Amino acid sequence: MKVQSQRSQHANRKLAAQLLASKLAGLMEDANATSQSARHLQHHSAERGNAVRSFEGTGFIER
């Protein structure tokens, strides 16, 4: 990252570090939001597995 808005090299370096930190924070926030939404979708698509027995009807007759 290159910043040349100030006359002082130290001030430019400090400003560049702040800009870089804010960009990295934004990227991390986006990554966290994406992973959280993926986990949320996995939660609602849980499978029941393979049943050993299955019953049907009002009398619960085994198939």
Side-chain angles (χ1 to χ4, degrees), residues 15-36:
L15 183 60
Q18 288 174 347
L19 290 173
L20 187 60
S22 68
K23 282 188 180 186
L24 287 175
L27 288 174
M28 289 298 292
E29 187 175 321
D30 290 343
N32 287 339
T34 303
S35 66
Q36 187 176 15

Side-chain angles (χ1 to χ4, degrees):
M1 180 168 283
K2 192 172 186 180
V3 177
Q4 295 179 346
S5 61
Q6 303 292 324
R7 289 183 60 147
S8 170
Q9 180 182 3
H10 297 290
N12 285 334
R13 186 177 291 169
K14 186 176 181 181
L15 183 60
Q18 288 174 347
L19 290 173
L20 187 60
S22 68
K23 282 188 180 186
L24 287 175
L27 288 174
M28 289 298 292
E29 187 175 321
D30 290 343
N32 287 339
T34 303
S35 66
Q36 187 176 15
S37 66
R39 279 182 294 180
H40 183 71
L41 290 175
Q42 284 179 347
H43 177 73
H44 290 293
S45 66
E47 295 181 10
R48 295 281 184 182
N50 296 327
V52 175
R53 295 181 181 175
S54 60
F55 299 92
E56 61 183 26
T58 58
F60 296 107
I61 303 168
E62 188 173 353
R63 284 194 224 178

